Amino acid sequence: MGYARRYLSASRESELSALRELLTSGALLSGISALIHALQRERGASTLWLCAEASLTAEALTARRQEADQALAAMIDLLPTPQRRADGSRFYNRAALALHALSGLSTLRAQVRQRQLPHAEAMQQFSEIIRHLLHLIVEAADTASDPQMSRALLALFSFMQGKELAGQERALGAAGFAAGTFSRTAQRQLIALLEGQDRSFATFVQFADDDSLRAWRAVAEAGQEIEKLRRIACGGMTTRGVEAQRWFRLLSERLDAMKQIEERLEQRILIVCRRCIERIDQAEDDDWPTAHVGLGYSLYVAAAPWLEEGDGALDAGGVAPQLSRSLLTMLEQQAQRLQAQSDELAAMRVALTQRKEIERAKALLMQHHQCDEEQAWHTLRKMAMNQNKRVWEIAQALVAVSSAFSLTQKS
């Protein structure tokens, strides 16, 4: 029993040390969060600028950059001084990657200012910087010590991930409305962003506290005007009369409301942290840890070989504390797999549709020109080369003309 008590004491001291460190880094969480929000705003303004949106002035773009610079300087001041420590490797690695990504910000801005980048590439570069900062905020907050702490952390991470996807939706939609049209690719990207938001916020709802949930319900449902614009963007409808600035303003108001919930979730982590410290301080020598008991819900984790039983469902009171980092990694990997599968299926559907159009066009040529299949294919290829188009585009046009001609004859 003497040895057991020594290990129990060491466990509590280690947990207290991690929790107290988290309390002191509360300002760092807010600083990283503020920088992410500022970069999301700058990304949106940069998209409008690259699309030559007349209503956006150079001064407005500069203002967004200054906001991000101020947030970056504040975050750097809050970063801890690097020092050798047994548990610092992961955080320092994430910090190094995030700062390295941020070092390319000046080059990116210069290219945006000179309009030397397509808006899609600029958006991707901003999003990559934000992705590194999201990982950094997880490492800064993850004490892996208590189920309630894991709940609060996963609620924050899931919400911030959903908010980031909403920010990408704002930028992509602004580009489409500014251009006056949404390509098939842009439509698929918008749909994927909406689906990703649904998944992220569904995870958030599962782990969030009651007060945060009530705050979220007030902004969860997008207004009728946003939904109308989403249908226009995703459905390939005409964008005539829709101003990119109106879309940008509506989505910005929604994102600003999300930022307030994000700040509430950050404070929730610190509240849970203080409660954990009080619990440990008040624990008696005979208060031994009890077996973990689930709280009546589960989280599905795909491709988890360490789950030897069941169907991959992890029953936990929040999340088993030792698995919080592993779970976050697996959630990310699962999201990447789902996105890759979705992209692959979408590509397969497009390829199948194109193949059907080509087969129908070949059948029309064979019927009207009394040629074989190989001759019909060479005819389509020659027409595509002459018009500098792809074969399926020529096939689609032929099928459309044939349909229209048939309708004319019937009438």
Side-chain angles (χ1 to χ4, degrees):
M1 287 297 293
Y3 279 114
R5 291 185 190 282
R6 287 171 60 185
Y7 278 101
L8 177 61
S9 176
S11 171
R12 288 173 176 170
E13 287 300 323
S14 298
E15 188 174 356
L16 276 173
S17 176
L19 289 168
R20 286 167 180 158
E21 185 172 339
L22 174 57
L23 271 183
T24 61
S25 65
L28 176 59
L29 297 183
S30 298
I32 301 173
S33 174
L35 176 57
I36 290 174
H37 189 67
L39 287 172
Q40 288 169 339
R41 287 166 60 87
E42 183 181 348
R43 176 181 57 196
S46 298
T47 300
L48 289 176
W49 176 261
L50 289 171
C51 293
E53 174 66 17
S55 55
L56 183 77
T57 64
E59 290 74 15
L61 181 62
T62 300
R64 298 286 83 79
R65 292 177 175 181
Q66 290 174 346
E67 289 176 5
D69 283 340
Q70 292 171 1
L72 175 57
M75 187 208 73
I76 290 176
D77 286 342
L78 293 168
L79 284 173
T81 303
Q83 53 184 312
R84 292 185 179 180
R85 36 181 282 193
D87 59 346
S89 174
R90 291 178 64 96
F91 175 78
Y92 292 152
N93 181 61
R94 289 295 188 188
L97 291 173
L99 292 171
H100 178 70
L102 285 162
S103 68
L105 193 55
S106 58
T107 301
L108 171 59
R109 286 170 167 175
Q111 292 175 322
V112 169
R113 172 71 72 172
Q114 300 300 321
R115 293 194 170 107
Q116 296 174 344
L117 282 179
H119 68 82
E121 184 175 342
M123 176 178 162
Q124 191 276 331
Q125 290 190 39
F126 273 109
S127 299
E128 183 67 10
I129 295 173
I130 292 171
R131 183 180 69 84
H132 284 295
L133 290 169
L134 283 172
H135 285 296
L136 179 59
I137 207 168
V138 171
E139 288 300 331
D142 189 5
T143 63
S145 59
D146 183 88
Q148 295 303 315
M149 183 62 71
S150 296
R151 284 183 66 116
L153 174 58
L154 279 169
L156 173 63
F157 180 78
S158 299
F159 190 85
M160 293 188 74
Q161 185 170 265
K163 177 173 173 283
E164 164 57 10
L165 295 175
Q168 292 181 30
E169 178 196 3
R170 174 177 63 181
L172 186 59
F177 285 118
T181 184
F182 285 87
S183 66
R184 293 281 182 87
T185 299
Q187 292 172 32
R188 290 195 296 270
Q189 289 175 338
L190 279 172
I191 292 172
L193 288 172
L194 289 171
E195 292 174 346
Q197 289 178 60
D198 288 341
R199 290 196 297 268
S200 296
F201 291 131
T203 302
F204 156 75
V205 166
Q206 189 175 16
F207 293 105
D209 61 287
D210 292 340
D211 289 341
S212 297
L213 283 176
R214 280 192 290 270
W216 169 238
R217 291 190 186 104
V219 297
E221 295 297 328
Q224 291 184 354
E225 193 170 2
I226 291 178
E227 290 299 338
K228 178 182 177 182
L229 294 176
R230 281 174 171 173
R231 287 195 295 271
I232 291 173
C234 296
M237 303 163 62
T238 177
T239 61
R240 189 181 300 114
V242 178
E243 296 179 356
Q245 279 284 356
R246 181 155 65 96
W247 163 268
F248 192 81
R249 175 181 56 80
L250 291 169
L251 270 291
S252 295
E253 290 172 355
R254 190 163 188 263
L255 282 164
D256 289 342
M258 289 183 189
K259 182 65 175 72
Q260 295 179 13
I261 299 174
E262 186 176 282
E263 292 170 356
R264 180 189 295 271
L265 292 167
E266 293 164 13
Q267 291 303 311
R268 174 67 181 173
I269 287 179
L270 300 183
I271 291 171
V272 173
C273 183
R274 294 187 185 96
R275 289 176 181 173
C276 290
I277 291 175
E278 292 175 2
R279 173 182 56 78
I280 296 172
D281 284 338
Q282 295 171 5
E284 301 292 339
D285 289 343
D286 291 332
D287 291 342
W288 291 88
T290 57
H292 179 69
V293 179
L295 295 184
Y297 64 89
S298 62
L299 177 67
Y300 177 71
V301 184
W306 38 266
L307 291 178
E308 298 177 358
E309 299 178 359
D311 57 357
L314 178 66
D315 184 17
V319 177
Q322 295 81 3
L323 297 178
S324 59
R325 280 198 177 102
S326 298
L327 183 54
L328 287 171
T329 300
M330 290 190 180
L331 285 173
E332 179 187 4
Q333 292 172 348
Q334 181 181 4
Q336 291 173 348
R337 280 193 298 272
L338 290 173
Q339 185 61 54
Q341 291 172 3
S342 177
D343 293 343
E344 184 178 357
L345 288 173
M348 289 175 62
R349 285 193 292 268
V350 171
L352 182 59
T353 300
Q354 293 174 358
R355 173 54 55 190
K356 288 180 179 178
E357 295 283 2
I358 291 173
E359 293 300 324
R360 291 176 64 186
K362 286 197 301 184
L364 287 171
L365 290 173
M366 291 166 64
Q367 178 182 352
H368 290 284
H369 295 281
Q370 302 300 313
C371 60
D372 59 25
E373 184 176 358
E374 184 176 357
Q375 290 173 323
W377 168 247
H378 284 301
T379 300
L380 283 174
R381 288 191 61 188
K382 184 177 180 181
M383 293 172 68
M385 293 175 62
N386 291 340
Q387 299 183 40
N388 195 26
K389 292 184 178 181
R390 288 174 290 184
V391 173
W392 77 266
E393 292 177 317
I394 297 297
Q396 187 180 47
L398 282 175
V399 172
V401 170
S402 175
S403 299
F405 185 72
S406 299
L407 289 174
T408 303
Q409 283 188 329
K410 290 179 181 179
S411 61

